[in-house]
Amino acid sequence: MVRDLVTGNPVTDGYWSDIGTISADVIDPETGSTVMRTFAGASGLISISDIPMVSNLTVQTITVTLAQAADRINDLMRGYDCKQGKVQVFRGLFDASTRAMVAPAFPRFAGTIDEAPISTPREGEDGNVVLTCTGNTQELTRSNPDTRSDASQKLRLSTDDFYLHTATVSEWQQYWGKSAGRLGVTGGGFDIIGAARAAGFFR
């Protein structure tokens, strides 16, 4: 999914590894629901690198090689904004006897385009477009630049005072027994039953 250079609206295009154009059911990796997508024949898609089958949150990177000589690819890469475009890779299983899909194609990869260089080759050289794509788990590694503060909270709701004293609460003096001191915000737990027994509330 890329964006229109003028309006910024999303534009979706699809390719598959065989000939002809097909419409097939796939499982949307964002919603989990079954949707129908249209995929153009292999004149545009050359190859997809191996996708590691892992069950953890490792950030995956794949490459998708497209044929620059294909008019459809030229239109997609040169006529639209591909920066951070969405990429989804599906695998469909076919019945060998009927040549029909046995179930909706399941997602193998979902991510964004990191690099999409377009170069004009010299005579006799390859001029394919190689997209470098990074999986969506990369978003889990990003840090939030925002801080917990009263000003930040009020941007969400002007009457929200939840963080009103965040900047000063660590300096407040709290009296506990005979000693005064700042309120501790880290450390071990507190045995409330033991304290109650010591005070004579339990026998």
Side-chain angles (χ1 to χ4, degrees):
M1 180 185 296
V2 294
R3 292 179 298 277
D4 188 284
L5 290 172
V6 178
T7 65
N9 294 331
V11 177
T12 302
D13 202 6
Y15 305 87
W16 76 308
S17 57
D18 211 328
I19 60 175
T21 298
I22 66 167
S23 294
D25 288 335
V26 301
I27 299 175
D28 190 324
E30 295 184 356
T31 64
S33 58
T34 300
V35 296
M36 180 171 286
R37 301 273 179 85
T38 300
F39 301 91
S43 59
L45 175 63
I46 295 178
S47 66
I48 300 174
S49 64
D50 292 337
I51 303 174
M53 299 182 67
V54 297
S55 58
N56 53 35
L57 297 179
T58 303
V59 178
Q60 303 292 340
T61 300
I62 67 169
T63 57
V64 178
T65 304
L66 304 173
Q68 187 178 167
D71 291 339
R72 191 183 185 103
I73 299 298
N74 262 304
D75 181 54
L76 177 71
M77 302 304 300
R78 299 178 188 274
Y80 297 93
D81 180 11
C82 296
K83 183 178 181 180
Q84 293 297 297
K86 291 185 177 181
V87 175
Q88 297 174 347
V89 179
F90 302 91
R91 173 169 290 175
L93 302 178
F94 290 80
D95 187 312
S97 59
T98 63
R99 299 183 181 275
M101 289 181 60
V102 298
F106 53 91
R108 288 291 317 279
F109 177 87
T112 56
I113 299 173
D114 274 350
E115 297 179 7
I118 301 176
S119 60
T120 302
R122 290 181 293 184
E123 184 178 355
E125 293 183 351
D126 291 336
N128 300 325
V129 178
V130 180
L131 307 181
T132 301
C133 310
T134 304
N136 287 338
T137 50
Q138 182 184 30
E139 298 301 318
L140 299 176
T141 67
R142 301 186 189 276
S143 60
N144 188 348
D146 197 9
T147 57
R148 294 188 297 176
S149 66
D150 183 49
S152 172
Q153 197 73 359
K154 279 184 166 51
L155 289 175
R156 187 182 68 87
L157 182 64
S158 60
T159 58
D160 192 337
D161 292 332
F162 185 81
Y163 287 125
L164 181 62
H165 302 293
T166 299
T168 59
V169 68
S170 62
E171 303 298 325
W172 290 358
Q173 297 292 315
Q174 304 293 328
Y175 287 87
W176 187 261
K178 296 180 179 181
S179 302
R182 291 186 301 176
L183 181 65
V185 294
T186 60
F190 180 75
D191 188 352
I192 189 68
I193 296 178
R197 286 201 184 102
F201 295 115
F202 291 93
R203 299 184 183 275

